[in-house]
Structure formats: structure tokens, C-alpha cells
Amino acid sequence: MKCATKSLLTLSVIFALTACDGDNGKDGQAGTNGKDGNHGSAGQTGSKGTDGANGMTSLLNQLTLPMGNEHCYFGGIALQSGIDSNSDGKLNEPEIKQTNYVCQPSPVTSQGAVLPYTAMRSDLQNGDIAGSTFEVRNGGYGSDMVAHPTKNTQFYALTDRGPNATYTGDYGKGKKFPTPDYTPRIGLFELQNNGQIVKLKEILLKRPDGTPITGLPNRSGLGGTGETPYDANGTPILVDNTQPYDPVNNPLKLDDYGLDGEGLVALKDGTFWISDEYGPHLVHYDANGVELSRINAFTGDDRVELNLPAEFANRRANRGMEGLAITPDEKTLVGIMQSTLYNPSKTVKDLDIVRIVTINLETRAVGQYLYKQEKNQNSNSGIVALSATEFLVIERDGAFYNTTPDAMKRIYKIDLSDATNLEEVASSGQLTQDEERGLLLQDNTLEEVVLEQGWDALNTAGIVPVSKSLVLDLVEQVSYPHDKLEGMWLIDYTRLGVLNDDDFATWSTNGTLEQKYLDAGKTQVDGNRLYLFEGLILNK
């Protein structure tokens, strides 16, 4: 019985193992895709949609710009573009979206533009050039220049006392005046779009009674420095040249109204202010050149109602108030001396300290500031106002670039805001105010302090000069060839014209009259030239 049971069990197991499924086999390879079926036929075209609204019309205006335009000073074209939003076929002001300018290039090249002139005389021997004569030119319009108050293509220019040259004769140091009856004057000029300059008119300067003045020196009590006037031959100019000299009955011919004009201001009412080198005097003239009033430092002059600080009477001969400006509101005159005052004497001549004066024409308040030059005995020969406190100032030497490569002709921007007003410094301790010498430090004039101790001594005492920054270096920009850069024409805050003093093309060497040349070879005669600079940023 045990064996039968065991066999049945074994068979059952074998049977069970025989009945189980085996593992799945590997997939076969994929078959190739069948071909795409044919496309169905196209459906019917849909119905046409409605038209959209018409678009707006774009328009273009072309305008011709005249000479003096703020965008194109010498004229040009303005191209205005925009959308005709009201569909009237015109591009109206509100519809203009963009304006492009095509400007005429400046015809005033780096050589400048020549001012017109005539010859007053051409019979004088030309220096040491045997058999040659030269022209004394009725030019000389370069002592200063200023913008016409309302016409930005026009400018006024000023002459000084007339053709003259340093000379020492039997009656002492003085000047030769080859045209002694010359009347100083103002010229009105216009710059054309071709770069040429036209003189529109000239205004001769006159006394209060309407008679023409001369450029002969003043008496010493009114600012004259004892210069003797001589004619072209070296003969003293007398009250009556047909009679011999007599100090009482026939003295030297002087002119208390004579003016050696150097600074010019043109007001909107048509009147002018001029500063000069004789007094210095500041004289107010009407539109016809007749004197209205004057300001100077001489309390004994019964022609004046307002005086400059007394120390301005100590001007160095031929280096008086070289520049004059007025603030944009036409309330305050601002004058700058050419060089260091002889305050108290010429011992301080070789310095770099220059005085600026301000005169409020309404309140009559007078202010005074200091300017520090780049080199001793440089000349500040022009000033023009940018604002109530900011000004452009010319600083130059007396050299010709053609013969002196390191000649200096520069324009600086100055600011009075943080400078010390000398007239407002109260007497206290070491600082005192003196009626004749002005503000003193330890009883020395400010000029004496700079001479003996330098500018640091003034700074220590709290006396700060005006700040300055360079705007233009004309030697670097245009190889400026003239010796006397003296006039500035502020057209706007991006354009500035400058003008030189040609001295009527008259010069002298060792007292001998000759033509004024720019070069040592005596081939280029000096003349008034306008140079124009654009692309400036003067109001920042």
C-alpha cells in the first residue's frame, strides 16, 4: 500500500509540471507603412468679407529757413512730417510728429571773415621800407563788439581813439596821431549768409552839446596820464598849430571828452554804454552818439553823479577798463580792467591780479571782485554776460602766433557767485577799507599783498577771486594769428563770434610809423576779422 500511494503522488507532480505555459517569444519586425490615401476634393470658396476702413494719410512739409534761424544759423530747410488726422489735406502744427533740418554749412571758415574798411590816408612812409607808403585804414572796429539786442545777424563794433603809435619827442612820452581829428565811433555790421560782412551805418561819438569828440588825451585831473599828442611828423599838437607852443596861451591840445573806447554795451532802447582806457570813464550815449551821462572815479568831475571806487583812478596807462558788459535784465553794468592797477604805484606792475566792478544802474550799488590771470601782465580785453553772475572773459597776451607759437588767446567762463565782494568787506582786524586805496590787508593794498606774499595770503584772509573755466583756446582751435583779441559777439548759447583790434593797420617801431603786419616777413597786413564758433554749450 505505501508504494502505490508514492507512485500516484509522483505522477501527479509530473502531470502538474507538464501542464504549465512557456515564456513569450520575441516580437517580430514591424511591417512597412501602407501608402497614403488620395486627398479629398476641395470645398467651395467662401463668400467675400467686407472692406476695412481707409488708413490715415501721411504728409510732409518743406520749409525754407532764413539767415539767423536758431536751428540753421546760415539758413536751410526744415522737413516736417506727420499724420493728417483731421483729413483736411494739410499738415497742421498739432499733427507734426517730427522735424528734420538740413542746414547750410557755415561760410565763415577758420580764416575768418573780413570787415570792410576804407583808407584815411596812404601817403606816409612805411617804416624802414624805402620808397614805400602805407595805408592808415578807417577800420579799427575791434576794440569791442556786442550783439544787436534784437537782430541776431547784426552786431555793433567799437573803435578806440583812432590811429596812434607810441612816440617820445621833445615834449615827453606820448603818442603820434596821424589823423588827430579822428572821431571815435560805433559801427553797425551785418553778417550775410554767404559769409560776407556789410557795414550798415556808423555812429560818431559826441559831447552833450552834439559836437564830435576826438581821441586826444584827457587832462590829468580827469584821468589823463600826461601823454603828449604828436602829429605824424613828431610835432606836438597844439590848440593853435599856426602858433608856437606856450603852456598858458597855446598849450598842448587835450580833450576832456576825448575817449579811448574799449568796452561796448548796446541796450534795447537804442542807447550805448562805453568804457575806456583814459579815466577809466563809463559814458552813456544816446542812439545818435550824444553823451547822456558818465561814471568815473574822479569826485572833482562835475559831469558825474556816480563814482567808481577811487582805486580805479590808479589804472595803468593804456590798460584801463578794457571790457564792459550788462546783465541780461539790463540792470547791472560789469566792467573788467585790462591788467593790474598801479595801486598804489607801478611797483606792482608785474602781477596777475585784475579787478572787476559791478554797478547797479537802479540802486547805484557798486561791487568789486578779483580775477586771477594765467600769466603776469596778461590782458583781459573783453567781457559779455551769460546771466546775472556768469560771464565770458577774454584773457590774452600781446604776441602774434605767426612769430610766437606759444601765444595765448583764450576765453574763460567766470562766476561771481562765490567770489568775495570787496565793497562788502567790513573793516575788522587786519582788513580795513581805505577811501583812496580800497580794501587793505595789514595796511597794504591787495596788489601789494599778492606781490609780497602771493594769493595764499588773500585766501587766508577770506578773499576769494571769481571762479573760472576754459571755454575756447583760439590758438589751438584756429591758430589765431592776431595779437589783440578784444571783442565777443554772443549770438546765443551755442554760437560766439570774436573780433580783433587791427589798430587801423597802423604800427610803429622805435617811434617810426609803419603798416601793421601779422608776420615778421611783413607780407600779411593785419585787419579786422570775425571768427565764428558754433556747437558751444555756454549755459551750463
Side-chain angles (χ1 to χ4, degrees):
M1 287 298 293
K2 287 184 180 180
C3 291
T5 304
K6 181 176 180 181
S7 296
L8 289 172
L9 178 61
T10 299
L11 291 173
S12 298
V13 172
I14 293 171
F15 180 79
L17 292 173
T18 301
C20 292
D21 292 333
D23 294 332
N24 291 332
K26 294 181 178 180
D27 292 335
Q29 293 183 349
T32 58
N33 292 330
K35 295 181 178 179
D36 293 337
N38 294 328
H39 292 293
S41 59
Q44 295 182 346
T45 302
S47 60
K48 183 179 179 181
T50 58
D51 294 335
N54 291 330
M56 293 184 178
T57 302
S58 175
L59 296 179
L60 180 70
N61 282 348
Q62 179 174 308
L63 304 177
T64 299
L65 303 177
M67 174 73 182
N69 179 266
E70 62 176 325
H71 299 287
C72 297
Y73 185 68
F74 287 96
I77 296 173
L79 300 174
Q80 300 172 333
S81 59
I83 303 299
D84 184 15
S85 57
N86 62 1
S87 301
D88 65 351
K90 300 177 182 179
L91 188 60
N92 302 306
E93 188 68 30
E95 298 172 332
I96 297 173
K97 299 302 180 184
Q98 184 174 345
T99 303
N100 295 317
Y101 299 95
V102 181
C103 299
Q104 292 289 343
S106 172
V108 181
T109 67
S110 61
Q111 303 301 311
V114 180
L115 269 64
Y117 68 88
T118 58
M120 288 188 283
R121 61 183 300 183
S122 56
D123 60 321
L124 295 173
Q125 169 71 29
N126 186 12
D128 60 2
I129 305 176
S132 174
T133 59
F134 74 96
E135 286 186 333
V136 178
R137 294 180 176 177
N138 188 10
Y141 286 103
S143 287
D144 201 5
M145 73 186 306
V146 66
H148 188 291
T150 59
K151 300 177 181 179
N152 72 346
T153 61
Q154 297 181 8
F155 62 89
Y156 291 101
L158 176 70
T159 73
D160 58 23
R161 54 183 160 182
N164 67 88
T166 300
Y167 179 73
T168 300
D170 294 339
Y171 293 80
K173 294 181 179 181
K175 296 282 185 180
K176 279 185 176 179
F177 291 86
T179 57
D181 294 330
Y182 181 82
T183 298
R185 62 201 64 190
I186 300 167
L188 175 62
F189 298 85
E190 184 171 65
L191 178 59
Q192 310 293 301
N193 60 5
N194 62 1
Q196 293 184 347
I197 298 172
V198 177
K199 183 170 72 172
L200 303 178
K201 68 176 180 178
E202 58 183 15
I203 303 168
L204 274 61
L205 302 181
K206 307 173 185 70
R207 300 177 179 85
D209 64 6
T211 59
I213 70 171
T214 70
L216 296 176
N218 308 149
R219 288 179 296 160
S220 59
L222 297 175
T225 54
E227 288 179 316
T228 299
Y230 296 92
D231 65 16
N233 298 317
T235 302
I237 299 172
L238 307 176
V239 172
D240 183 354
N241 281 322
T242 65
Q243 301 296 319
Y245 171 77
D246 184 282
V248 177
N249 298 314
N250 195 30
L252 297 171
K253 186 176 181 180
L254 303 176
D255 188 351
D256 288 347
Y257 286 92
L259 206 71
D260 189 5
E262 296 294 345
L264 177 64
V265 162
L267 301 180
K268 293 178 182 177
D269 64 5
T271 66
F272 304 92
W273 278 94
I274 294 176
S275 66
D276 92 324
E277 289 192 324
Y278 277 147
H281 302 280
L282 283 74
V283 188
H284 191 195
Y285 292 96
D286 71 12
N288 296 314
V290 177
E291 179 174 336
L292 299 172
S293 63
R294 71 172 53 210
I295 300 168
N296 60 36
F298 312 109
T299 56
D301 188 351
D302 58 10
R303 299 173 297 178
V304 305
E305 297 179 2
L306 178 65
N307 289 114
L308 294 171
E311 57 267 32
F312 281 83
N314 298 327
R315 57 96 177 173
R316 175 178 170 181
N318 299 312
R319 297 203 179 195
M321 192 171 291
E322 188 80 5
L324 187 66
I326 196 159
T327 52
D329 60 8
E330 295 195 341
K331 291 182 179 180
T332 304
L333 289 172
V334 182
I336 187 167
M337 300 302 286
Q338 181 173 341
S339 299
T340 302
L341 296 178
Y342 280 2
N343 190 28
S345 68
K346 66 179 181 180
T347 58
V348 299
K349 173 182 178 179
D350 189 21
L351 289 179
D352 58 0
I353 177 174
V354 172
R355 295 183 184 243
I356 296 173
V357 65
T358 63
I359 305 165
N360 188 303
L361 297 174
E362 291 185 350
T363 66
R364 299 200 169 193
V366 175
Q368 192 178 166
Y369 303 85
L370 298 181
Y371 175 98
K372 187 178 186 300
Q373 294 178 330
E374 297 299 299
K375 295 191 301 187
N376 287 10
Q377 301 196 62
N378 261 1
S379 295
N380 289 110
S381 53
I383 185 170
V384 63
L386 297 173
S387 69
T389 62
E390 294 177 311
F391 303 84
L392 296 180
V393 168
I394 293 173
E395 184 176 341
R396 64 168 178 83
D397 57 17
F400 294 93
Y401 175 70
N402 287 341
T403 56
T404 309
D406 62 350
M408 180 184 291
K409 319 293 174 188
R410 295 178 181 175
I411 295 174
Y412 289 91
K413 182 178 180 179
I414 67 169
D415 193 340
L416 275 58
S417 298
D418 297 323
T420 303
N421 184 345
L422 306 182
E423 296 297 312
E424 294 182 349
V425 176
S427 295
S428 176
Q430 296 181 331
L431 291 170
T432 56
Q433 293 282 3
D434 183 84
E435 287 188 4
E436 299 298 324
R437 297 175 293 162
L439 182 65
L440 306 179
L441 178 58
Q442 294 178 321
D443 203 40
N444 289 319
T445 67
L446 303 186
E447 289 79 5
E448 289 175 310
V449 172
V450 172
L451 176 66
E452 297 169 5
Q453 304 176 55
W455 281 87
D456 287 344
L458 295 184
N459 293 334
T460 300
I463 300 172
V464 179
V466 300
S467 61
K468 59 188 287 196
S469 58
L470 182 64
V471 171
L472 277 174
D473 184 328
L474 275 73
V475 170
E476 183 179 278
Q477 291 285 326
V478 295
S479 299
Y480 195 76
H482 310 280
D483 59 332
K484 295 182 178 179
L485 170 64
E486 296 199 359
M488 287 185 288
W489 172 22
L490 181 65
I491 299 172
D492 53 39
Y493 289 124
T494 65
R495 299 178 180 91
L496 182 71
V498 300
L499 188 63
N500 67 295
D501 183 1
D502 69 350
D503 291 312
F504 303 87
T506 303
W507 202 245
S508 73
T509 299
N510 298 323
T512 300
L513 291 170
E514 61 186 7
Q515 197 84 75
K516 182 182 180 184
Y517 297 99
L518 294 175
D519 61 322
K522 298 184 178 182
T523 62
Q524 298 174 282
V525 178
D526 196 10
N528 294 133
R529 282 183 180 268
L530 169 72
Y531 294 79
L532 184 64
F533 298 92
E534 300 186 88
L536 305 175
I537 303 175
L538 301 175
N539 57 344
K540 290 185 180 180

CSV table of all heavy atoms in Angstrom, one decimal, residues 27 61 78 109 128 131 143 157 207 215 227 236 248 294 306 329 332 359 400 434 452 457 490 509 516 521 528:
chain,number,residue,atom,x,y,z
A,27,ASP,N,9.2,39.8,-30.2
A,27,ASP,CA,8.3,40.4,-31.2
A,27,ASP,C,8.9,40.3,-32.6
A,27,ASP,O,10.1,40.4,-32.7
A,27,ASP,CB,8.1,41.9,-30.9
A,27,ASP,CG,7.2,42.1,-29.6
A,27,ASP,OD1,6.5,41.2,-29.3
A,27,ASP,OD2,7.4,43.2,-29.1
A,61,ASN,N,5.9,118.5,-44.9
A,61,ASN,CA,6.1,119.9,-45.2
A,61,ASN,C,7.5,120.2,-45.4
A,61,ASN,O,8.4,119.7,-44.7
A,61,ASN,CB,5.5,120.8,-44.1
A,61,ASN,CG,4.0,120.9,-44.1
A,61,ASN,OD1,3.4,120.5,-45.0
A,61,ASN,ND2,3.5,121.4,-43.0
A,78,ALA,N,13.7,123.0,-43.3
A,78,ALA,CA,13.1,122.2,-42.3
A,78,ALA,C,12.1,121.2,-42.9
A,78,ALA,O,11.2,121.6,-43.7
A,78,ALA,CB,12.4,123.0,-41.3
A,109,THR,N,35.0,130.4,-42.5
A,109,THR,CA,35.9,129.3,-42.3
A,109,THR,C,36.9,129.7,-41.2
A,109,THR,O,36.8,130.7,-40.5
A,109,THR,CB,36.7,129.1,-43.6
A,109,THR,OG1,37.6,130.3,-43.8
A,109,THR,CG2,35.8,128.9,-44.8
A,128,ASP,N,60.8,151.5,-42.3
A,128,ASP,CA,62.1,151.5,-42.9
A,128,ASP,C,62.1,150.9,-44.3
A,128,ASP,O,63.2,150.6,-44.8
A,128,ASP,CB,63.1,150.7,-42.0
A,128,ASP,CG,62.7,149.3,-41.8
A,128,ASP,OD1,61.7,148.9,-42.4
A,128,ASP,OD2,63.4,148.6,-41.1
A,131,GLY,N,60.9,154.2,-50.0
A,131,GLY,CA,60.1,154.4,-51.1
A,131,GLY,C,58.7,153.8,-51.1
A,131,GLY,O,58.0,153.8,-52.0
A,143,SER,N,37.9,147.3,-31.0
A,143,SER,CA,38.2,147.5,-29.6
A,143,SER,C,37.2,146.7,-28.7
A,143,SER,O,37.4,146.3,-27.6
A,143,SER,CB,38.1,149.0,-29.2
A,143,SER,OG,39.3,149.6,-29.7
A,157,ALA,N,30.3,147.3,-33.4
A,157,ALA,CA,31.7,147.2,-33.1
A,157,ALA,C,32.2,148.6,-32.8
A,157,ALA,O,31.7,149.6,-33.4
A,157,ALA,CB,32.5,146.6,-34.2
A,207,ARG,N,29.9,165.1,-27.8
A,207,ARG,CA,29.7,165.7,-26.5
A,207,ARG,C,28.2,166.0,-26.2
A,207,ARG,O,27.4,165.9,-27.1
A,207,ARG,CB,30.5,167.1,-26.4
A,207,ARG,CG,32.0,166.9,-26.7
A,207,ARG,CD,32.6,168.3,-26.7
A,207,ARG,NE,34.1,168.2,-26.9
A,207,ARG,CZ,34.7,168.1,-28.1
A,207,ARG,NH1,33.9,168.1,-29.2
A,207,ARG,NH2,36.0,168.0,-28.2
A,215,GLY,N,39.9,161.7,-30.1
A,215,GLY,CA,40.5,160.6,-29.3
A,215,GLY,C,41.7,161.1,-28.5
A,215,GLY,O,42.5,160.3,-28.0
A,227,GLU,N,50.2,162.0,-21.3
A,227,GLU,CA,50.6,161.6,-22.7
A,227,GLU,C,50.6,162.9,-23.6
A,227,GLU,O,49.6,163.6,-23.6
A,227,GLU,CB,49.7,160.6,-23.3
A,227,GLU,CG,49.8,159.2,-22.8
A,227,GLU,CD,48.9,158.2,-23.4
A,227,GLU,OE1,47.7,158.6,-23.6
A,227,GLU,OE2,49.3,157.1,-23.8
A,236,PRO,N,54.3,168.4,-31.8
A,236,PRO,CA,53.3,168.4,-30.8
A,236,PRO,C,52.0,169.1,-31.3
A,236,PRO,O,52.1,170.1,-32.1
A,236,PRO,CB,53.8,169.2,-29.6
A,236,PRO,CG,54.9,170.1,-30.2
A,236,PRO,CD,55.5,169.2,-31.3
A,248,VAL,N,50.6,178.5,-21.4
A,248,VAL,CA,49.4,179.2,-21.0
A,248,VAL,C,48.5,179.5,-22.1
A,248,VAL,O,47.3,179.2,-22.1
A,248,VAL,CB,49.8,180.4,-20.1
A,248,VAL,CG1,48.5,181.2,-19.7
A,248,VAL,CG2,50.6,180.0,-18.9
A,294,ARG,N,27.9,160.1,-17.4
A,294,ARG,CA,29.1,159.3,-17.3
A,294,ARG,C,29.4,158.9,-15.8
A,294,ARG,O,28.9,159.6,-14.9
A,294,ARG,CB,30.3,160.0,-17.9
A,294,ARG,CG,30.8,161.3,-17.2
A,294,ARG,CD,32.1,161.8,-17.9
A,294,ARG,NE,32.0,162.0,-19.3
A,294,ARG,CZ,33.0,161.9,-20.1
A,294,ARG,NH1,34.2,161.5,-19.7
A,294,ARG,NH2,32.9,162.1,-21.4
A,306,LEU,N,27.7,159.6,-10.2
A,306,LEU,CA,28.1,158.3,-9.6
A,306,LEU,C,29.6,158.1,-9.8
A,306,LEU,O,30.0,158.2,-11.0
A,306,LEU,CB,27.2,157.2,-10.1
A,306,LEU,CG,27.5,155.8,-9.6
A,306,LEU,CD1,27.2,155.7,-8.1
A,306,LEU,CD2,26.7,154.7,-10.3
A,329,ASP,N,19.1,141.4,-17.6
A,329,ASP,CA,18.0,142.2,-17.3
A,329,ASP,C,18.3,143.7,-17.5
A,329,ASP,O,17.4,144.6,-17.2
A,329,ASP,CB,17.6,142.0,-15.8
A,329,ASP,CG,18.7,142.3,-14.8
A,329,ASP,OD1,19.7,142.8,-15.2
A,329,ASP,OD2,18.5,142.0,-13.6
A,332,THR,N,22.6,145.9,-14.5
A,332,THR,CA,23.9,146.0,-13.9
A,332,THR,C,25.0,146.0,-14.9
A,332,THR,O,25.1,145.1,-15.7
A,332,THR,CB,24.1,144.8,-12.9
A,332,THR,OG1,23.1,144.8,-11.9
A,332,THR,CG2,25.5,145.0,-12.2
A,359,ILE,N,28.0,147.7,-11.3
A,359,ILE,CA,27.3,148.9,-11.0
A,359,ILE,C,25.8,148.7,-11.3
A,359,ILE,O,25.5,148.6,-12.5
A,359,ILE,CB,27.8,150.1,-11.8
A,359,ILE,CG1,29.3,150.3,-11.6
A,359,ILE,CG2,27.1,151.4,-11.4
A,359,ILE,CD1,29.9,151.2,-12.7
A,400,PHE,N,52.0,137.7,-31.4
A,400,PHE,CA,51.4,137.2,-32.7
A,400,PHE,C,51.8,135.7,-32.8
A,400,PHE,O,53.0,135.3,-32.7
A,400,PHE,CB,52.0,137.9,-33.9
A,400,PHE,CG,51.7,139.4,-34.0
A,400,PHE,CD1,52.5,140.3,-33.4
A,400,PHE,CD2,50.5,139.8,-34.6
A,400,PHE,CE1,52.1,141.7,-33.5
A,400,PHE,CE2,50.2,141.1,-34.7
A,400,PHE,CZ,51.0,142.1,-34.2
A,434,ASP,N,39.9,151.7,2.8
A,434,ASP,CA,40.5,153.0,2.7
A,434,ASP,C,39.9,153.7,1.5
A,434,ASP,O,39.7,153.1,0.4
A,434,ASP,CB,42.0,152.8,2.4
A,434,ASP,CG,42.8,154.1,2.3
A,434,ASP,OD1,43.1,154.7,3.4
A,434,ASP,OD2,43.0,154.6,1.2
A,452,GLU,N,54.0,140.6,-2.5
A,452,GLU,CA,54.9,140.3,-1.4
A,452,GLU,C,54.6,138.9,-0.8
A,452,GLU,O,55.6,138.2,-0.4
A,452,GLU,CB,54.8,141.3,-0.3
A,452,GLU,CG,55.3,142.7,-0.7
A,452,GLU,CD,54.9,143.8,0.3
A,452,GLU,OE1,54.5,143.5,1.4
A,452,GLU,OE2,55.1,145.0,-0.1
A,457,ALA,N,47.9,134.5,0.7
A,457,ALA,CA,47.7,135.4,1.8
A,457,ALA,C,46.3,136.0,1.7
A,457,ALA,O,45.6,136.2,2.8
A,457,ALA,CB,48.7,136.5,1.8
A,490,LEU,N,28.0,137.5,-28.6
A,490,LEU,CA,27.2,136.3,-28.1
A,490,LEU,C,25.9,136.2,-28.9
A,490,LEU,O,25.0,137.0,-28.7
A,490,LEU,CB,26.9,136.5,-26.6
A,490,LEU,CG,26.2,135.3,-26.0
A,490,LEU,CD1,27.0,134.0,-26.0
A,490,LEU,CD2,25.8,135.7,-24.5
A,509,THR,N,57.7,151.2,-35.0
A,509,THR,CA,58.9,150.6,-34.4
A,509,THR,C,59.9,151.7,-34.1
A,509,THR,O,60.2,152.5,-34.9
A,509,THR,CB,59.5,149.6,-35.4
A,509,THR,OG1,58.6,148.6,-35.8
A,509,THR,CG2,60.8,149.0,-34.8
A,516,LYS,N,50.9,147.8,-40.1
A,516,LYS,CA,50.8,146.7,-39.1
A,516,LYS,C,50.7,145.4,-39.8
A,516,LYS,O,49.8,145.2,-40.5
A,516,LYS,CB,49.7,146.9,-38.1
A,516,LYS,CG,49.6,145.9,-37.0
A,516,LYS,CD,48.4,146.0,-36.1
A,516,LYS,CE,48.4,144.9,-35.0
A,516,LYS,NZ,47.2,145.0,-34.1
A,521,GLY,N,57.9,138.7,-41.8
A,521,GLY,CA,58.3,139.0,-43.1
A,521,GLY,C,57.6,140.1,-43.7
A,521,GLY,O,57.9,140.5,-44.9
A,528,ASN,N,40.7,143.8,-39.4
A,528,ASN,CA,39.6,143.2,-38.6
A,528,ASN,C,39.0,142.0,-39.2
A,528,ASN,O,38.6,142.0,-40.3
A,528,ASN,CB,38.4,144.3,-38.4
A,528,ASN,CG,38.9,145.5,-37.7
A,528,ASN,OD1,38.6,146.6,-38.1
A,528,ASN,ND2,39.5,145.3,-36.5
